[in-house]
Structure formats: C-alpha cells, structure tokens
Amino acid sequence: MDIPETLIRKAEEIFFSFPPERRESALVSIMFEAQRELGCITPDTERWIAETVGVSLVKVREVLTFYSMLRRERAGKYLIQFCHNISCCLAGAEDLQRLVEKKLGVRNGETTADGLFTLRYAECLGGCSWAPMMLVNEMQYYQLTPEKLDRIIEGFRSGRPVAPDEPTPLLGNVGEKTVA
Amino acid sequence: MPHLEIDGKPVEVPAGTNLIEAAKRLNIEIPHYCYHPGLSVVGSCRMCHVEVELNGRQSVVVGCNTTAADGMKVFNNTEAIHRIRSGVLEFYLQHHPLDCPICDDAGECDLQNYYMLHGLHDSRVELAEKQHKHKVHDVGPTVVLDSERCVLCSRCVRFCREIAGVDELGIFNHGDDSELLNVPGKLLENDYAGNVVDLCPVGALTDKNFRFKRRVWYLKRTPSVCTGCSRGCSIYVDWEISRSYKDPQRRIQRLKPRYSRLVNEWWICDRGRYSYQAVDATNRLTVPRTKSENGSAITLNAVLDRAAEKIKAALTKHGPKSVAVIASASSSNEDLFLLKRLFADELKVHSLDVTLSGAPKGKEDGILMKADWSPNRRGAVEIGVKPWGGGGVAGDDIVAGALDGDYEVLIVVHHDLTRSLSQKERNKLDQNCDYVLYLGTHENGMCHLADDVIPLAMWAEREATYANFQGRVQKTWRPFAPLGDVLCEWRVWQELGKRLGHALRGDSVADVFDSIGTVVASFKGLTWEGIPATGQMLTGVPEPPYRKVQSSHPLPAY
Amino acid sequence: MTSSNGTRLLSRNFALPGQANLDTALKRGAYEMLKRALKMKPEEVTTVVKASGLRGHGGAGFSAGMKWGFVPKDVFPRYVCVNADESEPGTCKDRLILEYDPHLLIEGALICAWAVQAERIYIYIRGEYFYPTRIVQRAIDEARAKGFIGENILGSGWSCHVHLGTGAGQYICGEETGLIESLEGKKGWPRLKPPFYPAAVGLWGKPTIVNNVETLAFVPRIIEIGAAKFLSYGTPKAGGPTLFSLSGSVNRPGVYELPTGVPLKTLIYDCGGGIKDGRRLKAVIPGGSSSHILTAEECENLKMDFESVAAAGSMLGSAGVMVLDETVSIPRLMVWMTRFYAHESCGECTPCREGTGWLLRLATRILDGKGRRRHLDDLYELADNIDGKTICALGQAVAWPTKSYITKFRHEFEALIRE
C-alpha cells in the first residue's frame, strides 16, 4: 500500500525515540500517527504497521481495538468529541448534547450525510473548570454555550472556522499576576 | 523450606511455592481459572482469593501471586472468602450463556464445578441486557471458539505465545466488549493448538474431533504413552464402548496429556493428540490374510503353520542367510525382545534390522516433536535388533537383496515397503522372494504384496513398554481388547517359535518384560510391576536435566 | 477573596506571557535549579525531596521521595515516566502546566532523573491533549538544543534523553503500570504488584519512577527553597501546595494553587465565589470521580489534605473538586459516573470488566424509573464485590463512589422506585 513519505519520516522519528532493541514499543505512537495521516487504520495499514514495527497482526489488532481514539473507519471531516462526563454535565452539557444532535441531525457515533461532522461523546477531556468542553479534530473549545456552539459549527460549515481556545484560559488563582 | 498452615493443616513446601500449589499438596483446591503451573502468573481471574495471616497481619490476597512464607496461616474456607468467591463468580455468570445442555465441557467445566461449590446463587441479570459474541467460530482446523462462553482467563493466549512461540490468539477491545478471537486470515493452527482445549476451563474452546461425540461423564480414562515419535509423551486414553448406539466403531473418544515432568510436562502435540484416529480407523487389519487363496480369510493357525514351514524349508535348504527380517522400532520392547530371541539367537538369522532410510519422519521442533517417528528406537538399540555376525545386512540392503532374490523368506513388521518401490520393483520382489510375511495394523500396499498377512494389536489395545529417546522405559495400560481379538506381536513370535521348535518363555507381557533384564544389561533390575506411571530410566542411564517444554523463541504473555 | 499569592510556588509564572518559550523562561530562572541539583549528589536530592513531604498529585498520594528511594542499587538503566495522562474526571490542572510552563516540568523531571540516575525520560501525554503536546514537544526540542537535555548535560557527565509517549484514549493508561505497558507498545493492562512495582521493575523490566506532572513540577521549587520551607506550605505529612481543580456549581471554577490542608470552605466560597445562583450546597466530590462523595455537613470543617480527607471517609486523590448544588440529581450523577468507568474498564480482570457495565445498566434503569427496590441493594452489593478484588485501583474507583452515593443519598434513589 502507498504510505505517504510524511508518515514514513514520522515513523522513523518515533522509532528513534525508543532504544533500538525496543522497536515494538513504538506500536501505539506509530498507530496514532498513522491515523492522523491516513484518517483511520484499515487492514492494509495494519499489515504495514505490523511489518514496520515488527510485531504480529494479533498485537496490532489488540492495540487498535483497545484504544478508543483509534478507529477502523474514517470519520467525517470534523470529528467532534463532546465531553459527557461529570463536570461538563454539571455545567449543562446534556442540554447542549440535545442541541448539537438536533443541529447536526445525528446521534452519538454517527456522521452527517454531507460527511462534514462526526459526533462522538467522549469521557473527561481535562477541561472541567472550563466546562462544557469539546474537541473538534485537534482543536479545543471551552465554556460552550448554545450560542458559542452554534458559532463554532457554522464556522466549520462555512469554511471560516472559529479559532480554538489555545491556550486554555487561566481561570483560578493560577492566572493571577502578582506573586509575593 | 517454609512451614505453613492451610485451613489448620500443616504443610512444608519448597521456597518460592505459591499458595495454590501449596494447597494442592494437601489436596485442597483453591479455585482458579487463569493460573496454570506451566504458564506465567497473571492474576486476572480473581477467583483464588484467600485470607492470609502473617506476623500478626491479616490480609486477603490472591493465592497464585502470593509466595508461601514460614509461619503463614492460610484460610480458604471462611465466610468472607466464600462471599468474595461467590461475588466474583456472579460476575462470570452475568453474560455466560446457558449452554450447558449443548456444551462439550459439561461435566468437566470449572464454571459449573465452582458454581456448585462456591456459588449456588440465583441470577439477578436482565436477560435483555445479555451480551452476545461469536458462537461456533472457526478459529482453526482443529478448534472451535465460542467467545460468549469465554471467561477471558487468557490461558490459551499465553500458551500460544509462551509455549508454542506463536501469536495466533488475542483479546481484543476493552471493558466488557473484550473478546478472545483470532485475526481474519490468521488461524489457530500451530502444532500444539489442541492444548488450548485442555487449558480452557470452560467450553469456549472445543475440539472439532470430540465435539458432540460423548458426554464426558461416560468416559473411562486409562493412562498410556503416545507412540507417535521417540519422545513418548505421557497421555490418557479417554474411551467409551458401552454406548453402542452412537458411533459404535469409535472406541477412543480423545487423548489427553498426562503430566510428566521430564518428558512432556502438561502438553502433547496435535499429531500425537489425534493419533487415536488410527486405532479405530476403518482400514484396520482384523483378520489374517493370504494371497494363496485370493486374499480371502484364513485362520491365524493356518498362516503360522505355513510361515513356520517356509522358514524351516529355507533354513534347511539354504541356511540362515536365506531369511531376513525387517523389524520395526514401533514395536514394543517385548515384541523386539522375542523377535531377536527367535530369529537372531535361535534361528541365527543375521540380517535383521529396524532401520530403513525411506521411513517417514517429521521435524525436530525443539518443543516436543522429534524427527524420529518411532516410539521405541532406543529399545531396539538396547535389545540389539541389528545385523550381526559378519554377513548380516542392514535394512536398506535387505530390501535391495530381496529384490535381487537373495532371500527365500522375507518378514516385514509394520514398514510399508511399497511406498518407496515402483510397480516394477514390487513385481520383482514378488517374483524373486519366495515367501513374504507381513505383520501390520492397517490396510496398505504390503497387504497386497505379501504372501501372508498377520494383523497386530495396536498400542492402545495392549500393555507394552517403549523406551523413549531419553532412555526412559514407559508403560501403556490396556483399556480394551484389540479389534478382532488380534494378537500382540510378541505372542506371534511365541506361536511361531513353538512351531519352529523353540519355546520362547513368557505367559504374560510382564513375564516377557521381566526376562529382558536377564539378557540385556540396560534392562537389568527393571520389572514390569516396578515401572512407575512416568516411566523408569534404563539401568546406567541418568535422568535427563529438567527442561521447560517451550519454543526456543517464546513470546511474552502480553 | 483570599489571595494565595505567597503559596503559588508552581503556577507563579503562568500569567507571565511566553513561559513555554525557552528564552523567555530562562529570563525567570528556568533550569537554574537543575544546575544546583547537578552539584548535589543524587541521593542528596532524593533525601531533600523526601524531607519536603512532597506527595504524589496524580491520585495515589504516595511520598515522592520515598518512591525515588525504592530504586534498587545495582540495577541499570533507570527511567523516569512523567504521567501526563490526566484523565481523572474533575481534574484539569496538569494541562495548564503543560501549556503554560512546560520548562518547569522538564526541569523537574530532569532533577528527578538525576536523583535516580535515569538515562531516559518519557513524558506520556494523553492523546486528546493535542495542543499541550505540541507545546511540550517544542519545549523539549528547545531545551535539547540548549544542552539541558542530551549527552553530558551541563558538563555533569550525566546523559539523559527526553521523549514523548502518547496515549490514545484510555484512562487506564494513567495507572502507572498501565502507562508503562502502553509505552511498551501494548494494551494498557496494569501489571500485578508485586512484583511489578515500577520503581523496582518498570519500563522494559528496569527501575522506573512514574510521577504525575504536578508532582515533578514542584521539584525545582523544592531545590530552590529547601525541604523545610516547602513542607511548611502544606501539612506535616503533606508538604507544599496543591493545585485544586474546582468545577461544578460554583461561580468561579478554575485551578487554584493553595496550601495543602486549606479548608474546603475557603476553596469553594472564597476562591470559588460560592454556589452559583445562590443555591445551597448539596455535596462535594473532593478528589476526582474516584473518591467518595461527601455531604454538605461532612464538608463543613473539612481540610483538604490527604489525611484529613481520608479521615472524613473520602480521599484527596487528584484534588479534582466537583461541587454539587441542590439541583443535582444523585441518581443522574450515578449514571454519569458509572458510564465513565464502564467505558474505561480495560477488561483484564473480571470484577471490573463485568461489574462496571452492570453498575451502569442498573443505574440507568433506576434513573429511567424502571428500577425495583432490590436494585438499590444490588448496586451496593455489586460495588462491594468489585471493591478490593481487582488488579488495579479502577475497581475501587467505581466502587467507592457507588457505595457512597447509594449510602448517603439513598432517599433520592428510592424516590425513583415505582414499586
């Protein structure tokens, strides 16, 4: 199969980060990178990974099916990972869930008919103090309100995405400037 | 050696012993699934919890991962432990299908057994929420997988990796979607695949050759030895013959490994495991045959009479060099001993041998399988079944000589010479050798070529001893009579000897075996009754060092 | 509002722009403490960290210095794994360290590596932290270019390499042995302890220190101000401040660096501005979702340090403080919580694998009004059957909250029972 040059180079970097006699340790990282480049892990990709890393097909599939971020089928252009854990629910995520489902016309795990959005409910994404939060592909969005959520989705639809909240806002006393 | 107490009973164990093994010494079972003495400890089944008191501290630990310590008190039977076991069992039963009425494992299932001992609770699971996984999944040529029944003990996964050295099974997904499976396109097909059925504590992995054949509580179990190669793994023959309404010709239902620390530990190879199929095969020879009456049935006495006649005539007219014997290293010590006594010692036949270069052989894989497929080559060597007397020729040359007409009488045991002879050569042998006597177990080319055929009893139908490649003499026990009441080879030689005027002593196989030591130095001191279940080394041959039975390139458990 | 200025040891530079950039960080003294530590003997560093009372801030609260001291004398090589898998619900403070002061973390990890003579550091960041990962990778590259990482660091003769490891969406890879398994390219199935205590037998079978991001980020400060001073910012048993992640029904959620042992009321009312919309406090989950829930009464005089919270029947854990007001339905909370553990159970051992899903289904049935009275007892009993019977702490992580919710708020569950 045709592996993009960029992935081959990234794989080499990853192998370099492990001792040479521990090449198999690169399996999780390489699969993660392969998915970023290729969109998902197909059986052909599994075979390439098994060969390159030097592990069995069984091992490759064990890792592929174990880690919930790794997927065997492509997602839409924008994968929305919407946190449905405690702090986000305390901040009203369940209401926002109903909104986003209605707006996109899909439920958890489904992709919109135009292939633009896949909606997935995720476990705690580490944004509890800025809840509710979501990830769109690799971009983090916090303090969602119905209005902000709407703006973000429209932004992706129109090709003028709303900038992600990078870095995470400094809420709490960690954001205070003065220190004794 | 730590001294400890289990349920109040004292026991002393070697340092490093875990609590499950320590309890075994007292015949106490600490329930477990994932633990197996031949595999790595993973502690994942959580069934083997016990209460432990050491140095005044009390704790609940898993027995598989706790080393016995001096002064330790182990409690296997407390209220708390019962509750823990019952609780863990309930988790196993949550999605386990109610397959007992159709599951092979019923009767030897650790889920059933532990439920009766430690559970006995009613279900509080909603049937609608039961999970469904693969059922009747073809995971390999000899094994069927039902991953719904699987308790995810990972014994099979670890066996393939640690012992067979291959990665053919994995546990995929996470949480309660976890499932034992193979990957598409890659099957469970290593040479030891059948062992996973033994290991599986439930009916998730079942043997295609045994599936739905017999309920295990009807089976009778007889210890024996595999005769597939020169390792001679210890086995059990599980058999059943009284239910004649179901597959009446199938007497042996399955073979199982029998633990033997220095030979095969807990395992056998698939070739050996399924070698029982030959015993009840439809092409077994059950009656003597003769060419002279168009291959029709003939009595054994008539065949023996004629054979004796032919041998006597050849010896009288042309001397011992006109008779040759190609014996077999698949024969037992008793067979070979009387064969040598009769032909070499009494009749002075010089050309006798067990070795033929064209004999089929296997691969030496460094785990269990030996290249030499004969179970008793060592016995043949010790007993001295080989050419002698300066004029005696070896096996291959006997065949060549027979083609050239060097012999009046050729006796062949087991070997199917026709496999390496062209049609022309077979005709030549037929023409040039006056009398060919074949002793065998199955229909083959020799049955058509030989003038007379004497059927023999097979290893699973007789008591016999074989010496494996280590020099270990091992016994088979007899579960049932041979098909057609055919004789053991050593009896045939006795009968033949009688007719040739040579009485070969021995009323029973034990008699014959005991007498070997009076002649063969390496058998001196060995008696039939004295041989233990795991065999006995030939005199002067030391026990081999312990070696863990595993691939030279084992894979890690996870 | 109580200013905690004096105790902001770790986060004091967060608000200074550009700390992720090495040149900027150098201006405020980044890696100076590494220099100081390199002049000390490795065992001395461990002694100082032990005396400082620094406890693990990932959840277990184990003494960091004591863990470092467990490395067996003659076994090499050694490794350090920085646990940046922050996935405990309610916890969001490591993220800020990675985004705002990655050099502080790298410096702390290097000092730890020096103390235990490790030759490699792996910073294992959860896969969902895309942005923090980019920041940290850049910081590592900068630090390497400037000679703080690599061969013969700052002329000390000691070499240490720093690389990233990545998670891919499984909470169990935040468990120290699950992390190591993942770093070794496998499923994150935790290992049996004993024998696989990482400090003795860890990454590739070698001694490995696994510490949380926050724990290691405190280390440069300990070297800077000394053990006694650091200890004084906490309690005698738990030195230094703690980063509290405050979320839920408060007016000012956020991350607050406060002395360990600060009264919970200070955190909620002074820092957090009290309960939103003037509502009443119902309960608090003090240490991430794996901790027992505490009622408002139990929170009255609670001090937020490991010993005090344990004495109150819960745990400080990762200090993920989730505040629940009177409108929060505990049966609904039970569904949110059990759903998390059911999704994150790795499947290795039976009680957790089978039990977490069972608890979720029970909780869902009760919330949907289809529950029966005996299901309330089932919830408790099944949780109890998981508690303490598992290979790793995920078992108790679902059992403790379940048991505490049903015990302390049984009336809310009973109200949903029809029959």
Side-chain angles (χ1 to χ4, degrees):
Chain A
M1 73 167 291
D2 264 326
I3 305 293
E5 188 58 42
T6 40
L7 177 55
I8 297 183
R9 263 186 283 121
K10 200 76 225 287
E12 282 311 308
E13 276 173 43
I14 294 172
F15 283 128
F16 182 74
S17 69
F18 291 98
E21 70 276 16
R22 307 286 183 189
R23 205 174 157 91
E24 335 77 64
S25 298
L27 180 57
V28 178
S29 301
I30 292 213
M31 248 207 255
F32 196 69
E33 271 316 305
Q35 183 171 275
R36 281 172 107 184
E37 289 272 347
L38 303 170
C40 67
I41 310 287
T42 60
D44 275 344
T45 312
E46 284 182 81
R47 272 186 283 275
W48 173 76
I49 291 173
E51 233 178 81
T52 307
V53 179
V55 292
S56 71
L57 281 172
V58 169
K59 268 264 143 63
V60 172
R61 184 154 289 211
E62 280 189 328
V63 167
L64 172 57
T65 56
F66 179 79
Y67 292 96
S68 51
M69 284 183 81
L70 298 176
R71 45 180 188 269
R72 297 162 73 173
E73 276 165 6
R74 299 192 74 94
K77 183 161 182 213
Y78 300 109
L79 171 64
I80 299 176
Q81 291 193 77
F82 200 94
C83 177
H84 70 167
N85 209 301
I86 297 172
S87 296
C88 286
C89 283
L90 289 172
E94 285 184 316
D95 291 331
L96 288 178
Q97 272 172 36
R98 284 185 272 279
L99 265 177
V100 77
E101 285 178 9
K102 200 156 144 234
K103 187 163 176 70
L104 296 178
V106 292
R107 283 190 318 232
N108 184 15
E110 294 174 354
T111 304
T112 55
D114 59 9
L116 208 53
F117 296 103
T118 299
L119 177 65
R120 268 187 69 181
Y121 295 136
E123 298 306 331
C124 181
L125 295 170
C128 320
S129 298
W130 309 272
M133 111 163 252
M134 70 178 178
L135 283 172
V136 180
N137 290 351
E138 302 189 0
M139 296 168 278
Q140 53 200 44
Y141 295 96
Y142 297 104
Q143 295 164 312
L144 300 174
T145 60
E147 182 273 330
K148 183 170 179 180
L149 185 59
D150 213 68
R151 246 192 313 123
I152 293 168
I153 292 179
E154 285 313 314
F156 285 112
R157 272 209 180 120
S158 67
R160 286 186 304 275
V162 171
D165 298 314
E166 290 171 5
T168 305
L170 279 176
L171 290 186
N173 74 352
V174 291
E176 286 174 14
K177 278 215 155 104
T178 53
V179 177
Chain B
M1 301 255 286
H3 271 95
L4 64 156
E5 248 181 52
I6 304 180
D7 287 342
K9 303 194 188 72
V11 66
E12 194 182 346
V13 297
T17 306
N18 67 54
L19 296 184
I20 295 183
E21 293 297 325
K24 266 192 208 170
R25 282 160 185 259
L26 289 168
N27 276 321
I28 293 175
E29 196 198 359
I30 297 177
H32 57 276
Y33 291 132
C34 65
Y35 171 73
H36 188 280
L39 304 172
S40 58
V41 171
V42 291
S44 63
C45 75
R46 314 313 284 179
M47 282 297 291
C48 65
H49 283 100
V50 284
E51 281 188 60
V52 160
E53 191 190 299
L54 183 64
N55 299 327
R57 268 196 62 213
Q58 287 191 297
S59 51
V60 173
V61 297
V62 285
C64 62
N65 196 41
T66 304
T67 312
D70 214 36
M72 189 182 260
K73 290 203 174 75
V74 181
F75 303 98
N76 185 44
N77 239 326
T78 64
E79 182 65 46
I81 290 298
H82 188 88
R83 251 182 292 125
I84 291 176
R85 280 194 193 142
S86 168
V88 174
L89 257 179
E90 192 180 12
F91 287 129
Y92 280 107
L93 292 166
Q94 189 195 173
H95 294 297
H96 194 84
L98 295 174
D99 278 358
C100 297
I102 55 161
C103 175
D104 277 356
D105 221 42
E108 54 186 20
C109 168
D110 279 337
L111 198 55
Q112 280 186 341
N113 295 340
Y114 292 155
Y115 174 79
M116 294 309 292
L117 285 170
H118 308 291
L120 290 175
H121 30 31
D122 292 323
S123 168
R124 48 181 164 178
V125 175
E126 299 288 314
L127 198 54
E129 288 172 354
K130 186 198 168 325
Q131 259 187 339
H132 298 277
K133 294 181 182 161
H134 286 84
K135 296 194 80 68
V136 200
H137 175 77
D138 201 6
V139 73
T142 53
V143 179
V144 178
L145 168 64
D146 185 320
S147 55
E148 218 176 70
R149 297 175 186 170
C150 173
V151 294
L152 292 162
C153 70
S154 80
R155 278 180 174 183
C156 55
V157 175
R158 285 177 284 137
F159 172 80
C160 287
R161 292 176 184 173
E162 295 175 352
I163 308 295
V166 295
D167 206 353
E168 291 176 349
L169 290 174
I171 294 175
F172 305 104
N173 309 324
H174 61 261
D176 60 10
D177 289 329
S178 294
E179 189 174 6
L180 173 75
L181 214 48
N182 59 316
V183 290
K186 198 158 189 263
L187 298 175
L188 173 67
E189 52 189 357
N190 65 75
D191 292 324
Y192 298 87
N195 289 292
V196 302
V197 178
D198 303 335
L199 284 170
C200 184
V202 297
L205 291 165
T206 49
D207 195 318
K208 279 186 187 173
N209 290 289
F210 182 66
R211 202 165 151 78
F212 302 144
K213 294 283 189 229
R214 276 294 187 284
R215 278 309 195 183
V216 302
W217 49 82
Y218 293 137
L219 297 178
K220 298 187 182 50
R221 173 164 279 196
T222 303
S224 191
V225 175
C226 176
T227 56
C229 78
S230 62
R231 185 170 295 274
C233 296
S234 287
I235 56 174
Y236 287 113
V237 177
D238 284 352
W239 56 278
E240 203 276 312
I241 58 178
S242 54
R243 274 169 184 74
S244 56
Y245 50 82
K246 196 168 150 93
D247 298 330
Q249 76 287 352
R250 185 190 169 96
R251 298 175 297 166
I252 300 181
Q253 304 302 327
R254 62 184 188 185
L255 298 181
K256 286 282 182 187
R258 177 163 61 96
Y259 178 69
S260 179
R261 182 168 168 268
L262 297 173
V263 180
N264 56 303
E265 292 198 292
W266 302 270
W267 325 116
I268 52 175
C269 73
D270 280 4
R271 190 173 156 265
R273 181 181 293 272
Y274 302 117
S275 64
Y276 71 89
Q277 291 168 332
V279 177
D280 292 323
T282 47
N283 63 345
R284 275 290 300 278
L285 297 171
T286 54
V287 289
R289 278 205 230 158
T290 180
K291 223 198 251 182
S292 60
E293 263 135 79
N294 295 322
S296 55
I298 185 173
T299 65
L300 183 60
N301 280 323
V303 172
L304 288 166
D305 288 343
R306 181 169 42 243
E309 233 182 79
K310 293 282 184 177
I311 293 171
K312 233 187 285 189
L315 289 173
T316 314
K317 257 199 276 185
H318 306 280
K321 62 177 169 39
S322 66
V323 177
V325 180
I326 303 180
S328 168
S330 294
S331 300
S332 73
N333 292 316
E334 300 75 26
D335 305 334
L336 291 170
F337 183 63
L338 291 194
L339 181 152
K340 175 168 182 277
R341 289 270 323 277
L342 176 61
F343 289 98
D345 299 343
E346 303 291 340
L347 303 179
K348 310 293 184 213
V349 170
H350 292 233
S351 294
L352 75 171
D353 199 6
V354 289
T355 310
L356 283 178
S357 59
K361 60 173 184 273
K363 66 175 170 198
E364 188 99 2
D365 72 353
I367 305 176
L368 286 179
M369 290 160 71
K370 302 291 283 175
D372 184 358
W373 277 357
S374 30
N376 201 23
R377 187 165 308 274
R378 185 64 180 264
V381 166
E382 298 291 331
I383 290 171
V385 182
K386 60 181 198 283
W388 60 286
V393 288
D396 290 341
D397 297 320
I398 295 178
V399 177
L403 288 171
D404 284 341
D406 289 354
Y407 306 107
E408 295 284 313
V409 174
L410 174 66
I411 299 171
V412 181
V413 186
H414 288 312
H415 295 280
D416 183 5
L417 301 180
T418 64
R419 285 173 53 145
S420 44
L421 295 178
S422 67
Q423 186 58 54
K424 214 162 133 204
E425 286 170 320
R426 277 180 244 164
N427 295 340
K428 223 175 148 194
L429 183 59
D430 198 18
Q431 276 177 306
N432 293 346
C433 188
D434 185 45
Y435 181 71
V436 178
L437 174 66
Y438 178 66
L439 289 82
T441 55
H442 290 82
E443 185 79 49
N444 61 23
M446 285 305 286
C447 299
H448 301 288
L449 188 143
D451 292 294
D452 280 331
V453 178
I454 297 179
L456 294 177
M458 288 188 74
W459 61 272
E461 300 167 320
R462 54 183 300 206
E463 293 175 310
T465 65
Y466 302 91
N468 79 352
F469 77 101
Q470 298 169 332
R472 181 186 310 276
V473 176
Q474 305 187 109
K475 255 198 295 200
T476 64
W477 276 261
R478 194 182 102 139
F480 40 66
L483 279 180
D485 289 324
V486 300
L487 290 184
C488 299
E489 189 187 324
W490 62 271
R491 278 251 189 250
V492 174
W493 304 136
Q494 264 187 349
E495 290 297 314
L496 195 58
K498 254 195 269 176
R499 289 160 173 76
L500 292 168
H502 298 285
L504 301 168
R505 245 195 32 203
D507 293 324
S508 66
V509 69
D511 268 353
V512 178
F513 179 80
D514 289 350
S515 63
I516 301 180
T518 61
V519 176
V520 182
S522 51
F523 279 78
K524 183 160 178 198
L526 272 69
T527 64
W528 179 268
E529 289 305 319
I531 298 180
T534 47
Q536 186 174 353
M537 299 305 288
L538 291 164
T539 303
V541 181
E543 286 276 17
Y546 167 73
R547 170 193 81 103
K548 183 172 167 66
V549 174
Q550 69 180 155
S551 157
S552 51
H553 298 100
L555 299 172
Y558 295 148
Chain C
M1 179 202 116
T2 302
S3 176
S4 52
N5 288 342
T7 62
R8 294 220 355 258
L9 298 182
L10 192 158
S11 63
R12 72 181 180 209
N13 295 318
F14 282 10
L16 299 177
Q19 293 306 307
N21 176 288
L22 180 55
D23 288 330
T24 313
L26 283 172
K27 289 201 195 100
R28 57 103 184 125
Y31 298 104
E32 285 304 308
M33 291 307 121
L34 173 62
K35 289 183 187 155
R36 195 187 288 186
L38 289 175
K39 295 201 179 73
M40 298 161 68
K41 287 223 250 316
E43 315 81 68
E44 272 179 70
V45 176
T46 301
T47 306
V48 169
V49 171
K50 208 187 288 194
S52 75
L54 176 67
R55 303 271 289 264
H57 286 286
F62 195 81
S63 155
M66 202 181 285
K67 190 189 275 193
W68 298 7
F70 286 155
V71 172
K73 274 195 191 354
D74 300 313
V75 188
F76 291 88
R78 290 99 177 261
Y79 304 107
V80 170
C81 288
V82 180
N83 191 341
D85 193 62
E86 181 166 67
S87 306
E88 178 75 23
T91 315
C92 52
K93 35 89 181 177
D94 291 338
R95 166 195 282 286
L96 294 183
I97 301 171
L98 301 176
E99 294 186 14
Y100 284 95
D101 207 347
H103 288 288
L104 180 63
L105 168 64
I106 294 172
E107 187 177 4
L110 283 165
I111 296 173
C112 170
W114 167 252
V116 300
Q117 292 292 285
E119 66 174 37
R120 276 176 190 257
I121 296 171
Y122 283 98
I123 303 180
Y124 182 93
I125 309 182
R126 63 178 294 184
E128 299 89 339
Y129 274 15
F130 294 103
Y131 173 72
T133 299
R134 293 203 297 276
I135 304 298
V136 174
Q137 182 64 73
R138 209 179 306 147
I140 293 173
D141 294 338
E142 289 183 325
R144 191 183 295 125
K146 268 278 194 326
F148 297 115
I149 296 173
E151 300 291 319
N152 190 15
I153 295 174
L154 301 176
S156 64
W158 166 66
S159 303
C160 187
H161 299 274
V162 181
H163 295 287
L164 287 186
T166 182
Q170 283 302 125
Y171 165 72
I172 195 63
C173 295
E175 203 276 347
E176 56 178 4
T177 60
L179 189 155
I180 290 175
E181 285 287 304
S182 185
L183 205 45
E184 291 189 5
K186 302 180 256 180
K187 299 187 292 185
W189 276 16
R191 298 173 173 177
L192 278 182
K193 293 186 281 200
F196 296 109
Y197 290 106
V201 185
L203 185 60
W204 304 310
K206 299 297 179 189
T208 306
I209 297 299
V210 184
N211 268 139
N212 172 261
V213 166
E214 180 187 340
T215 312
L216 290 173
F218 273 122
V219 171
R221 296 290 179 260
I222 295 173
I223 302 297
E224 183 185 330
I225 65 179
K229 192 97 203 288
F230 186 83
L231 184 64
S232 73
Y233 286 109
T235 69
K237 287 218 170 94
T242 293
L243 267 62
F244 294 92
S245 309
L246 185 64
S247 66
S249 319
V250 290
N251 285 308
R252 289 195 290 267
V255 175
Y256 293 89
E257 185 175 357
L258 297 165
T260 306
V262 66
L264 180 55
K265 285 178 100 162
T266 306
L267 176 62
I268 295 176
Y269 295 101
D270 296 344
C271 301
I275 313 296
K276 262 201 313 222
D277 302 331
R279 298 195 191 128
R280 258 185 319 111
L281 177 68
K282 173 190 272 189
V284 172
I285 300 173
S289 65
S290 306
S291 55
H292 302 81
I293 199 170
L294 295 171
T295 62
E297 293 79 59
E298 290 172 317
C299 295
E300 231 354 83
N301 298 307
L302 184 62
K303 292 204 163 64
M304 296 298 276
D305 62 270
F306 296 98
E307 280 64 41
S308 303
V309 183
S314 184
M315 75 171 183
L316 181 63
S318 62
V321 183
M322 293 177 273
V323 178
L324 312 172
D325 68 38
E326 57 193 324
T327 64
V328 175
S329 149
I330 303 298
R332 188 171 293 274
L333 174 68
M334 178 80 91
V335 172
W336 299 337
M337 181 272 297
T338 52
R339 181 173 60 200
F340 171 70
Y341 293 104
H343 286 175
E344 299 297 346
S345 172
C346 77
E348 182 177 15
C349 71
T350 304
C352 168
R353 181 182 71 238
E354 301 293 337
T356 48
W358 200 342
L359 290 175
L360 170 61
R361 286 187 284 275
L362 269 175
T364 308
R365 212 180 309 138
I366 292 169
L367 184 65
D368 290 347
K370 301 198 180 90
R372 288 211 275 272
R373 193 154 300 275
R374 68 138 218 262
H375 290 148
L376 306 186
D377 298 317
D378 286 350
L379 269 175
Y380 188 94
E381 210 184 301
L382 291 171
D384 197 39
N385 286 342
I386 301 171
D387 194 355
K389 323 294 190 304
T390 52
I391 293 179
C392 80
L394 203 148
Q396 77 203 34
V398 70
W400 289 359
T402 303
K403 285 156 88 167
S404 59
Y405 297 3
I406 198 88
T407 307
K408 298 180 184 180
F409 296 95
R410 194 183 176 95
H411 52 283
E412 289 198 31
F413 292 89
E414 283 178 341
L416 293 171
I417 306 295
R418 261 181 313 163
E419 145 272 351

